[in-house]
Amino acid sequence: MKIAGLDIGTTGCKLTVFSDRGKYLEQAYQAYPVTRGGSRHEVDAVNIMEGVWTVIRAMAEKYPDIMGIGVTSFGETFVFTDKEGKPLHRAMLYTDSRGAEECRELALKLGDKKIASITGNRPHEMYSISKMMWMKKNRPEIYREASHVFLMEDFVVFHLTGKARIDYSLAARTMAFDIAALEWSREIFEAADIDIGLMSEVVPSGTPAGRILPESARMTGLSQETKIICVSHDQVAAAAGAGVFDSETAVDGAGTVECITPVYDSIPSMDVMYQGYFSVVPYVLPGKYVCYAFSYTGGALIQWCTDTLAKKEKELAVRENISVNKYLEREYNKNCGQEEGRKPSGLLVLPHFAGAATPYMDTGSKGAVIGLTAAHTVSDIYRACMEGVVYEMLLNMERLKESGVHFKRLHATGGGAKSEVWMQMKADVLNVPLTALRTADAGTVGSAMLTGIAAGCFENLADAAGHMVEERKVYMPDRDMHEKYMEIYGRYRKVYEAVRPLVS
């Protein structure tokens, strides 16, 4: 018997297959297009579903005994559909600015802090409910025809099982879910003038939606006995896949977006969370919650640096059969005269190249590189970009201290966890031990863990983690380096306020 995790992302989906004891076997990936023009940022849910069929068929052909598939997805994006689940429009991504006016209207009706106290989210147009309001106002014919509102998890679950079910954590990304009562907020839907009956049934993370439909089984080659599991929002799945189950440990998701996810034993102070735009989300363990502290440009900033500035270095790295990242890290070490590069760059990089996420949520903010001289090289800027991302996360952690966050270690996942330089830097700056995990794809691991529990392969999350969460290396903080970084961080804390008035 096999289990699998289906991770639906903004630009592609992947299905990862594991043995019934959690051993990784194989993965299939399918990309789909996203369109961005002006204020419109959209994805076609039809393309997402076609991608899902493609990856399931590819894996079912090799592993026809897949008995459980857990579904996790990116958040906020929704689609109105007819009763058969056929999309009635292209879905708006969270970065689509439509809905900003409607978000202000909703906040005026109920009050910003009241909305935050109910939903765990400070009002912002990224969330689904204000975009639903925009659709009703500007595309009333679509709203009248709609029988369902789906986010991408329950959209896929519906097509696989015929059941409209969504887990608590993804429902919380709508800004219309009561995180304490664990149900849709009638007060918010009434204020928004959106029919609550369009929404899927909410269920705890890891709840089986049901067996796959006979027609879907025939289309994919799966057994009709295959169970489909409602897992979670992708960041929650990644936290579970990183083996983080208590408030002593947090996740460092070092992907395209840099995200630190701490765990709380109860709902934290919403006043503190409100000030920093930190979302509070129900976790996979009953009674526990997580929050997201993130920067839009984590790995994306590093990618920008290598793609834009390091063209020559890329060519040289290819000749040596190493990655451009390793090449630049090595060059930095040479230039600073130390084998391990144990010296901060001294440059200040504000990593707002795609706007500012927490604690500002300022889409108008821009990136900046400060302190350049003719003596600086591409490897210096590369190093400074890594530092800027980490300084931004330390800023977030300082803002979160009053909420009761007190993790004593980090578990790192994502592509960035492969960089020993970046991992050591994070341990030094944040001043906590950091464990890099062997898997870069914690989201599908977490999805498969919850699937394995539902399928009877594992007793609980601790049992699943014992089989599926593998540590690669532990990085301990260096006191001397921490002090050096803190001298520079003192200046970094002033950069946003200094730069923001100069850009529009």
Side-chain angles (χ1 to χ4, degrees):
M1 183 176 76
K2 310 296 186 300
I3 55 176
L6 175 63
D7 187 357
I8 304 155
T10 308
T11 58
C13 62
K14 54 196 167 191
L15 184 72
T16 309
V17 181
F18 301 83
S19 74
D20 61 351
R21 302 314 291 158
K23 180 183 178 183
Y24 170 86
L25 297 174
E26 197 169 348
Q27 182 181 94
Y29 176 81
Q30 180 64 43
Y32 33 77
V34 167
T35 58
R36 290 185 170 92
S39 64
R40 293 176 180 264
H41 295 185
E42 299 175 329
V43 62
D44 192 336
V46 171
N47 291 336
I48 290 179
M49 201 61 225
E50 288 176 352
V52 169
W53 295 129
T54 297
V55 296
I56 293 178
R57 278 194 295 265
M59 291 294 92
E61 185 176 350
K62 296 182 178 181
Y63 307 100
D65 59 338
I66 295 174
M67 296 307 293
I69 297 178
V71 183
T72 184
S73 81
F74 66 108
E76 297 88 38
T77 298
F78 73 93
V79 64
F80 286 108
T81 79
D82 64 15
K83 62 182 179 180
E84 280 81 34
K86 180 182 177 182
L88 301 175
H89 62 100
R90 293 177 63 85
M92 290 183 280
L93 296 173
Y94 70 96
T95 50
D96 193 304
S97 62
R98 288 173 290 177
E101 181 181 340
E102 289 72 20
C103 185
R104 287 191 291 271
E105 291 174 2
L106 188 61
L108 282 172
K109 285 184 180 179
L110 296 177
D112 287 37
K113 290 194 173 182
K114 182 171 186 178
I115 292 173
S117 69
I118 295 170
T119 70
N121 299 308
R122 181 168 173 172
H124 194 278
E125 63 265 25
M126 80 162 76
Y127 300 113
S128 318
I129 191 67
S130 57
K131 289 177 168 53
M132 294 179 202
M133 295 167 65
W134 186 94
M135 287 293 294
K136 183 177 182 180
K137 182 188 296 184
N138 294 277
R139 303 290 297 277
E141 72 285 0
I142 288 177
Y143 183 81
R144 285 194 299 267
E145 190 180 347
S147 294
H148 297 281
V149 176
F150 290 122
L151 276 71
M152 294 304 106
E153 174 196 7
D154 47 327
F155 175 72
V156 169
V157 166
F158 182 79
H159 280 273
L160 292 176
T161 68
K163 305 287 181 60
R165 290 180 176 171
I166 185 172
D167 89 287
Y168 297 157
S169 68
L170 192 63
R173 303 309 292 167
T174 62
M175 202 179 78
F177 181 74
D178 188 324
I179 61 169
L182 300 176
E183 60 187 24
W184 295 118
S185 170
R186 289 193 173 276
E187 185 174 9
I188 288 178
F189 276 96
E190 287 174 4
D193 196 23
I194 298 294
D195 181 5
I196 197 171
L198 296 171
M199 307 306 294
S200 297
E201 176 190 358
V202 288
V203 296
S205 300
T207 298
R211 288 184 170 82
I212 193 168
L213 290 167
E215 181 182 350
S216 298
R218 286 193 296 272
M219 284 179 61
T220 58
L222 290 171
S223 163
Q224 291 188 26
E225 297 301 310
T226 303
K227 292 181 179 178
I228 306 301
I229 315 301
C230 302
V231 176
S232 67
H233 183 221
D234 52 11
Q235 294 291 351
V236 164
V244 172
F245 306 127
D246 59 48
S247 55
E248 297 291 299
T249 311
V251 184
D252 170 42
T256 302
V257 170
E258 176 77 14
C259 183
I260 290 182
T261 308
V263 177
Y264 293 85
D265 295 323
S266 60
I267 296 177
S269 165
M270 288 311 303
D271 285 340
V272 174
M273 311 311 274
Y274 176 88
Q275 293 300 325
Y277 287 92
F278 299 111
S279 295
V280 179
V281 180
Y283 194 36
V284 296
L285 293 167
K288 292 186 183 292
Y289 292 80
V290 296
C291 86
Y292 304 144
F294 65 103
S295 170
Y296 290 131
T297 47
L301 180 58
I302 308 307
Q303 188 73 38
W304 169 83
C305 185
T306 57
D307 289 349
T308 307
L309 304 180
K311 291 181 171 63
K312 178 183 176 183
E313 288 76 9
K314 273 190 173 182
E315 294 176 2
L316 295 172
V318 168
R319 292 180 195 174
E320 296 189 34
N321 196 31
I322 60 173
S323 70
V324 65
N325 308 79
K326 285 191 176 295
Y327 182 90
L328 289 167
E329 289 168 1
R330 189 187 68 189
E331 289 303 298
Y332 180 83
N333 295 349
K334 288 180 181 178
N335 294 340
C336 71
Q338 299 180 34
E339 284 188 14
E340 297 180 0
R342 307 290 282 160
K343 178 182 177 183
S345 70
L347 297 173
L348 295 172
V349 172
L350 186 68
H352 297 176
F353 283 53
T358 57
Y360 308 113
M361 294 308 295
D362 180 1
T363 55
S365 185
K366 303 291 191 297
V369 183
I370 299 172
L372 282 172
T373 71
H376 284 108
T377 66
V378 173
S379 64
D380 293 323
I381 300 173
Y382 176 84
R383 171 82 179 207
C385 285
M386 288 195 288
E387 292 171 353
V389 171
V390 184
Y391 290 147
E392 188 79 347
M393 299 319 293
L394 178 58
L395 184 76
N396 275 277
M397 292 305 99
E398 287 185 343
R399 296 288 185 93
L400 279 172
K401 278 184 180 178
E402 291 183 17
S403 72
V405 68
H406 61 271
F407 62 84
K408 297 178 180 177
R409 52 189 171 270
L410 281 168
H411 284 186
T413 69
K418 297 177 183 177
S419 169
E420 295 197 0
V421 170
W422 209 7
M423 293 299 99
Q424 186 61 57
M425 182 190 298
K426 289 179 178 181
D428 293 341
V429 173
L430 300 174
N431 203 29
V432 293
L434 185 149
T435 300
L437 302 180
R438 195 166 298 281
T439 177
D441 193 5
T444 53
V445 170
S447 183
M449 285 165 58
L450 288 163
T451 302
I453 294 168
C457 302
F458 308 119
E459 290 185 14
N460 49 40
L461 280 168
D463 183 28
H467 287 86
M468 300 186 69
V469 179
E470 297 182 66
E471 297 183 0
R472 184 170 56 81
K473 184 174 179 178
V474 178
Y475 297 86
M476 300 300 297
D478 182 294
R479 180 179 297 178
D480 291 339
M481 284 300 296
H482 177 71
E483 292 176 357
K484 290 177 182 177
Y485 282 124
M486 289 307 96
E487 291 178 13
I488 299 168
Y489 176 68
R491 301 196 299 272
Y492 177 84
R493 295 180 65 188
K494 304 173 185 177
V495 172
Y496 171 75
E497 291 184 2
V499 171
R500 187 62 181 93
L502 306 177
V503 298
S504 59

